[in-house]
Amino acid sequence: MFSQFIRFSTVLISILFYLAHMGLVWSVIWDRWRRVEYSNKILMSYCKWGLWLLRVKVNPVDIERHQGVSGLMVGNHLSYLDVLVITSLKPACFVTSTEIRDTPGLGLICKMAGCLFVERRNKNNIHNEVNEITQGLRHGLNVTIFPESTSTNGEQILRFRRPLYVAAVDASQPVLPFCLNYRYVGGEPITVKNRDQVFWYGDMEFLPHLWALAGAGSVGVDLNFLPAIPTDEKSDPTQLAEASQAQVESVFRRVVPN
């Protein structure tokens, strides 16, 4: 219990340092995309530190496929840990929902990291949101989306939604699929019984889940980097969504009961 408290407290203190650090970046860098670029690089160091604190071991699979390449990163979504895992290996700007932006604490963290926000319940603003992502891609950023539009319990991959793929087409940047597979927690394989120690989905609250994760023991996760999908002005966003989902599903390990 004491080590859990120390680990949990250190994570919270680290978040405060991160916010202060990002606040300094925002105060001295006025250009939006240059600021996001610097924020992503700084976030990479904090993510590595956070994973070490929480005893999360990341195994990159075929990372050379994405080395030296920027684009629209797309993959499955299981937990807020996904952001740390991905960013520890590749600086990225994440796209998340306005619900997360409006969540106390978590929303501020996302804003300071330079996240882009989309209103999933309102389709009227989709053009402006796609335009923002397109600008980020044109500035050479890795923009990461979770096309399922939500995190899941690991039993299946939901249909990848097409609208945000338009940004990759407009920017003529490749789609870079990835797949997250959490393999174990506390020395035991991930199953239906223990997945909630790692996965964060539904109406779970952030701080209680983080507390449980801090005491769960070591976590192992594979991050599979899958073949890039090139785009041009003739690319079909629906086909891009289907092709990237097929790649992710080909290596995804579904959580099953014991």
Side-chain angles (χ1 to χ4, degrees):
M1 178 68 75
F2 180 71
S3 61
Q4 181 182 16
F5 174 77
I6 294 297
R7 192 170 293 110
F8 177 78
S9 300
T10 305
V11 169
L12 294 183
I13 292 170
S14 299
I15 290 174
L16 294 177
F17 272 101
Y18 155 81
L19 292 174
H21 199 165
M22 291 302 190
L24 178 61
V25 170
W26 280 52
S27 66
V28 299
I29 300 178
W30 292 94
D31 179 79
R32 179 187 181 182
W33 297 112
R34 187 162 171 259
R35 184 173 63 203
V36 171
E37 180 183 1
Y38 272 84
S39 296
N40 292 168
K41 292 177 180 178
I42 293 170
L43 182 61
M44 188 176 191
S45 298
Y46 279 95
C47 286
K48 290 179 178 179
W49 167 245
L51 292 174
W52 182 83
L53 280 176
L54 293 170
R55 297 174 291 182
V56 178
K57 299 179 181 179
V58 182
N59 175 39
V61 180
D62 294 327
I63 191 173
E64 64 278 359
R65 285 172 167 164
H66 291 192
Q67 285 180 337
V69 180
S70 63
L72 185 71
M73 299 179 64
V74 302
N76 60 314
H77 192 20
L78 297 160
S79 172
Y80 53 80
L81 272 181
D82 300 348
V83 174
L84 279 71
V85 170
I86 295 165
T87 309
S88 71
L89 297 172
K90 195 173 178 74
C93 170
F94 288 82
V95 178
T96 188
S97 67
T98 53
E99 293 96 321
I100 294 295
R101 181 196 63 193
D102 298 335
T103 300
L106 195 56
L108 179 60
I109 294 171
C110 292
K111 289 177 186 177
M112 298 302 283
C115 287
L116 307 179
F117 300 97
V118 295
E119 174 53 82
R120 304 194 191 281
R121 295 165 299 186
N122 181 1
K123 305 305 180 184
N124 296 329
N125 198 42
I126 188 65
H127 176 76
N128 292 332
E129 293 165 350
V130 167
N131 185 55
E132 265 206 329
I133 298 171
T134 301
Q135 290 183 47
L137 291 171
R138 285 175 175 165
H139 278 80
L141 299 175
N142 292 301
V143 180
T144 303
I145 65 172
F146 297 111
E148 295 170 286
S149 297
T150 187
S151 54
T152 72
N153 62 10
E155 294 181 11
Q156 64 177 328
I157 292 178
L158 304 179
R159 179 176 61 87
F160 280 17
R161 301 177 183 275
R162 66 174 293 280
L164 300 186
Y165 284 84
V166 174
V169 177
D170 290 347
S172 297
Q173 291 295 306
V175 173
L176 306 176
F178 63 85
C179 181
L180 290 149
N181 283 305
Y182 289 87
R183 296 184 291 111
Y184 63 82
V185 56
E188 299 291 333
I190 294 284
T191 66
V192 170
K193 292 182 178 179
N194 63 13
R195 66 184 173 193
D196 287 3
Q197 293 178 304
V198 178
F199 297 174
W200 187 65
Y201 58 94
D203 58 357
M204 291 181 176
E205 295 183 6
F206 175 62
L207 287 178
H209 186 275
L210 180 61
W211 168 257
L213 178 62
S218 61
V219 176
V221 56
D222 292 340
L223 177 54
N224 295 264
F225 293 89
L226 302 167
I229 304 172
T231 70
D232 58 34
E233 67 277 2
K234 297 180 181 179
S235 297
D236 183 347
T238 299
Q239 292 179 356
L240 292 173
E242 292 173 350
S244 57
Q245 179 167 355
Q247 285 199 32
V248 174
E249 288 181 332
S250 71
V251 296
F252 178 65
R253 292 199 290 269
R254 184 169 62 92
V255 175
V256 297
N258 283 335

